[in-house]
């Protein structure tokens, strides 16, 4: 690598052109890079509706909703979104 430093000291225009060529190649490559910022994804969704007539909200949560959430969370590949 010492030979590269010697060439760059003796020929500064060559060094500038070498760096400029690398920058132009990098910019051209970056512009051709195929990256989708918003890829189309189909996320699995489960919607469960429960009705417990005459019960308070706390009872529905503890006796129905929590049990269903625990059962659905055990399905492989699912993630919990929390509350």
């Amino acid at each position: 690598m010492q030979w590269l430093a010697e060439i760059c000291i003796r020929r500064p225009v060559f060094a500038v052109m070498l760096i400029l060529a690398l920058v132009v190649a990098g910019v051209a490559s970056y512009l051709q890079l195929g990256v989708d910022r918003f890829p189309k994804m189909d996320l699995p969704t489960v919607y469960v509706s429960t009705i417990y007539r005459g019960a308070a909200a706390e009872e529905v949560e503890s006796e129905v909703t929590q049990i269903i959430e625990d059962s659905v969370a055990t399905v492989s590949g699912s993630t919990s979104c929390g509350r």
Side-chain angles (χ1 to χ4, degrees), residues 4-82:
L4 182 60
E6 290 175 13
I7 292 173
C8 291
I9 290 172
R10 279 190 269 130
R11 302 186 188 271
V13 175
F14 173 74
V16 170
M17 290 299 142
L18 185 66
I19 292 171
L20 188 61
L22 290 174
V23 169
V24 169
V27 169
S29 298
Y30 180 75
L31 294 176
Q32 296 296 321
L33 189 62
V35 177
D36 191 4
R37 293 184 183 171
F38 302 106
K40 184 174 181 172
M41 297 182 354
D42 294 326
L43 297 176
T45 304
V46 174
Y47 178 76
V48 178
S49 177
T50 58
I51 298 172
Y52 192 1
R53 299 193 193 282
E58 294 82 17
E59 291 175 351
V60 173
E61 181 179 1
S62 64
E63 295 181 17
V64 180
T65 306
Q66 190 64 41
I67 296 169
I68 293 173
E69 284 181 359
D70 293 341
S71 297
V72 171
T74 60
V75 175
S76 64
S78 67
T79 58
S80 176
C81 63

